[in-house]
Amino acid sequence: DTTVKQNPRYKLARVGKPVNLICSQTMNHDTMYWYQKKPNQAPKLLLFYYDKILNREADTFEKFQSSRPNNSFCSLYIGSAGLEYSAMYLCASSRRLGGSAETLYFGSGTRLTVL
Amino acid sequence: QQKVQQSPESLTVSEGAMASLNCTFSDRSSDNFRWYRQHSGKGLEVLVSIFSDGEKEEGSFTAHLNRASLHVFLHIREPQPSDSALYLCAVSVSGGSNAKLTFGKGTKLSVKS
């Protein structure tokens, strides 16, 4: 089973309010990732967990938080949503770090709309 | 910094006609190449991975890599309307701490019956 599950599928949030997105995988993968995708743009890596170690991209460091309470779950947290956060958020996992010939398996995504 | 560009931005083909998508990358040390597909409102589905020059076939999808020219192609044999989707090229360098796949913006493929 190569399933990565994301909840919810659609999320509506108000400007200034927090948002929490959930991802789970049952493949015992070491690494879990969060990507942001906007229309007509390439998916953008926000952060990833390798085991318990969180790595956040330099340009999104202040905007996104994450937690990984166990190997199977990973959350993406936005403390105060802005209009620019409206996007599809994609969770992925891989057995090791993705650069080492490991395939990333993606979930179906959560479409976040901030009003 | 790796740059990945895809062309064309959109492509319409008739059912059964070969579809060819192009991806160029900038980092000559790249050695991991993957093609993903995203149907509207869905997540990314990996189609084919290729790690050395030449061709790799997975079902109706064939990836063709030419690292000297910094190109990786995806050919779709006898596409069906259900193959209409956004096709994304992803490139990375194996080893070290570089975990990042760099994606292109994608090619939107429409297959007309």
Side-chain angles (χ1 to χ4, degrees):
Chain A
D1 182 11
T2 56
T3 302
V4 177
K5 294 185 179 177
Q6 291 188 242
N7 287 298
R9 287 294 303 278
Y10 302 94
K11 177 76 175 177
L12 196 60
R14 296 290 181 189
V15 170
K17 297 298 186 184
V19 176
N20 197 44
L21 307 180
I22 302 294
C23 178
S24 66
Q25 51 88 13
T26 54
M27 297 172 278
N28 202 32
H29 281 173
D30 291 329
T31 311
M32 296 184 75
Y33 311 77
W34 282 99
Y35 284 81
Q36 179 191 65
K37 187 173 187 316
K38 295 184 177 182
N40 302 315
Q41 294 185 22
K44 176 182 170 57
L45 179 66
L46 301 175
L47 53 86
F48 66 93
Y49 262 100
Y50 176 57
D51 196 15
K52 292 181 173 54
I53 301 170
L54 174 61
N55 296 267
R56 287 186 285 178
E57 291 296 285
D59 58 345
T60 56
F61 191 88
E62 302 286 334
K63 298 181 180 180
F64 298 94
Q65 290 281 350
S66 183
S67 67
R68 191 177 187 188
N70 56 55
N71 178 270
S72 301
F73 288 89
C74 188
S75 67
L76 182 71
Y77 181 76
I78 301 166
S80 176
L83 295 176
E84 71 277 14
Y85 287 84
S86 292
M88 172 78 86
Y89 289 85
L90 295 162
C91 175
S93 70
S94 68
R95 201 152 48 107
R96 293 192 298 270
L97 288 177
S100 305
E102 286 291 333
T103 298
L104 268 64
Y105 295 95
F106 283 84
S108 297
T110 294
R111 184 172 295 280
L112 173 66
T113 302
V114 182
L115 301 173
Chain B
Q1 186 177 0
Q2 176 86 266
K3 285 183 170 49
V4 177
Q5 294 185 305
Q6 292 186 240
S7 63
E9 284 189 20
S10 63
L11 176 66
T12 300
V13 300
S14 297
E15 183 177 354
M18 174 80 80
S20 293
L21 285 60
N22 181 31
C23 174
T24 61
F25 54 97
S26 61
D27 187 343
R28 289 190 175 276
S29 58
S30 301
D31 58 0
N32 283 259
F33 305 87
R34 289 176 172 84
W35 284 95
Y36 285 87
R37 175 169 73 179
Q38 184 183 32
H39 284 105
S40 181
K42 300 290 179 67
L44 273 61
E45 169 194 11
V46 62
L47 301 174
V48 58
S49 303
I50 187 166
F51 310 116
S52 57
D53 285 343
E55 291 190 347
K56 174 81 178 294
E57 185 177 317
E58 295 283 354
S60 61
F61 303 102
T62 301
H64 182 105
L65 174 62
N66 184 331
R67 284 200 286 179
S69 67
L70 302 173
H71 279 82
V72 57
F73 300 93
L74 179 68
H75 304 293
I76 307 172
R77 191 172 54 255
E78 299 183 354
Q80 304 297 308
S82 57
D83 290 314
S84 297
L86 181 69
Y87 287 77
L88 293 159
C89 172
V91 182
S92 67
V93 178
S94 63
S97 61
N98 181 3
K100 288 187 254 188
L101 286 182
T102 301
F103 284 88
K105 291 183 180 181
T107 292
K108 186 174 181 181
L109 176 68
S110 297
V111 182
K112 301 297 185 187
S113 57

